[in-house]
Amino acid sequence: VVLGWIRAAVQLLVLLPISISGLGVREGSLLLALEPYGVSGANAVALSLLLFGVGLFMGLIGGILELRRHVGGSARRAPAERGGARASRPATAAPGDGR
């Protein structure tokens, strides 16, 4: 439970526009926060780099999926997105709608 609070606090510190991608801020804050719990400096830095690597990896996967979605052929898109018959019809308002 304590590690969850420490990680949340570190993530908030990383959001500050002090460094590129929070490098240095993450390591230093984890060093200070985990020292009272007997975690060595090397292990704290290893944890911070692991957290950075996981975030980088997840962002890379998301970027690849987005790239596939935008570059992938239009055959996978719905007919309305390709400009099918339904996409060209104007929307009609319901009676008493006020439009």
Side-chain angles (χ1 to χ4, degrees):
V1 174
V2 173
L3 186 59
W5 284 106
I6 290 174
R7 184 168 181 220
V10 168
Q11 286 299 108
L12 286 175
L13 287 173
V14 168
L15 291 175
L16 296 173
I18 299 172
S19 68
I20 298 173
S21 294
L23 291 173
V25 175
R26 182 183 303 104
E27 287 77 17
S29 58
L30 276 174
L31 273 170
L32 290 174
L34 294 177
E35 185 180 21
Y37 298 100
V39 177
S40 69
N43 286 340
V45 171
L47 175 64
S48 72
L49 293 176
L50 178 68
L51 292 175
F52 177 69
V54 166
L56 196 64
F57 180 70
M58 296 303 279
L60 181 65
I61 289 176
I64 290 171
L65 291 176
E66 281 294 311
L67 185 65
R68 281 186 58 205
R69 188 178 82 158
H70 290 291
V71 174
S74 63
R76 289 188 284 190
R77 288 193 278 176
E81 290 179 6
R82 288 192 303 254
R86 284 205 258 178
S88 61
R89 278 192 241 153
T92 57
D97 194 356
R99 288 188 207 176

